[in-house]
Amino acid sequence: MKELYQEVVTQLQENYISQYANGKPYLKLNGEQCYHFRMNLSYFYKRINEQTLKKTINVANRLVDEVFKNESRAGIIQYINQPGQLMKFIKKTAISDDYYVNLPVEERFLRILTCKIENIGLLHKLVMGRIYQDFKPYSDTFTRLDNQIILVNETKKILLHVYDDRGCDVFCKEEQDYLELKQLFKKYIDSYTAQMEELNYQVQESTYGVSFTKK
């Protein structure tokens, strides 16, 4: 297993990925604290319906395009609740470096693999599968993806976790990548921050991102 995945998987064996979103504890890449932001997707809109879900998918696809620009391969870390789901999206011939790792605390497994990106549409479909997971009436023509996945840019060391239609987390090793993505998706990040303030959380800003503490 590549060193990047060894480091990330060790941390995922200790905590679920979303627990690193608030910076306590923080996720490390190459042994150092990484940069992070969380942004709203469907929760950016006042109501969720078929039209706003389509807008949500467009935003998520733009994020995927930016994270994987000029990349020919992508890493995928999958939490396995239901077996065989990824094979609905990815051809076996496109897969390499395929590993399974036990998650003793959660009594399930992680699958870690690398696949060729012959078409960025593959990653769009994976993200779409997560967004439509809870919206069966709107997804008759799409394959839903129940298992959580983390998309990995192995070159830049960027992790993208679209947890469901509501929003996503982005973890970056390099500050420049973080700042560029943060600028591009600022209004969706600000939307999430405003939402947390409305829920009576105190906002704490740092070089590595924004964290929230219940007042």
Side-chain angles (χ1 to χ4, degrees), residues 47-196:
R47 60 186 63 180
I48 301 173
N49 53 40
E50 189 171 6
Q51 287 69 40
T52 56
L53 280 176
K54 288 179 179 178
K55 292 179 180 179
T56 294
I57 287 168
N58 287 337
V59 174
N61 285 346
R62 279 173 45 212
L63 178 58
V64 168
D65 291 346
E66 291 296 330
V67 170
F68 290 93
K69 188 186 301 180
N70 301 322
E71 293 294 323
S72 61
R73 307 179 72 81
I76 300 173
I77 302 173
Q78 178 192 30
Y79 287 87
I80 298 179
N81 297 316
Q82 298 184 29
Q85 289 213 331
L86 273 184
M87 295 302 95
K88 298 176 183 178
F89 297 86
I90 305 172
K91 297 177 181 178
K92 287 185 178 180
T93 54
I95 294 175
S96 62
D97 301 324
D98 197 357
Y99 301 92
Y100 290 83
V101 177
N102 188 34
L103 287 176
V105 177
E106 301 185 40
E107 297 183 349
R108 54 178 172 169
F109 292 87
L110 287 176
R111 184 180 187 181
I112 304 98
L113 59 87
T114 301
C115 69
K116 297 176 184 177
I117 310 176
E118 296 179 354
N119 188 318
I120 196 69
L122 166 63
L123 302 185
H124 290 172
K125 288 179 181 178
L126 288 169
V127 168
M128 195 181 305
R130 288 299 305 148
I131 290 173
Y132 273 135
Q133 178 213 356
D134 294 324
F135 298 95
K136 190 173 181 180
Y138 301 149
S139 61
D140 290 340
T141 59
F142 301 102
T143 302
R144 291 181 298 154
L145 180 59
D146 296 319
N147 293 345
Q148 293 281 349
I149 60 168
I150 303 165
L151 301 179
V152 183
N153 181 321
E154 298 177 349
T155 306
K156 292 187 174 182
K157 294 183 173 60
I158 300 174
L159 277 59
L160 168 58
H161 175 224
V162 178
Y163 45 88
D164 54 29
D165 67 284
R166 295 171 296 167
C168 65
D169 290 303
V170 177
F171 300 88
C172 302
K173 177 185 178 295
E174 299 296 337
E175 183 179 19
Q176 186 61 37
D177 294 324
Y178 162 74
L179 292 174
E180 289 177 1
L181 291 169
K182 183 181 175 183
Q183 182 60 35
L184 287 171
F185 297 94
K186 185 178 185 301
K187 65 179 181 181
Y188 303 98
I189 299 169
D190 290 347
S191 171
Y192 179 77
T193 302
Q195 177 185 325
M196 294 299 285

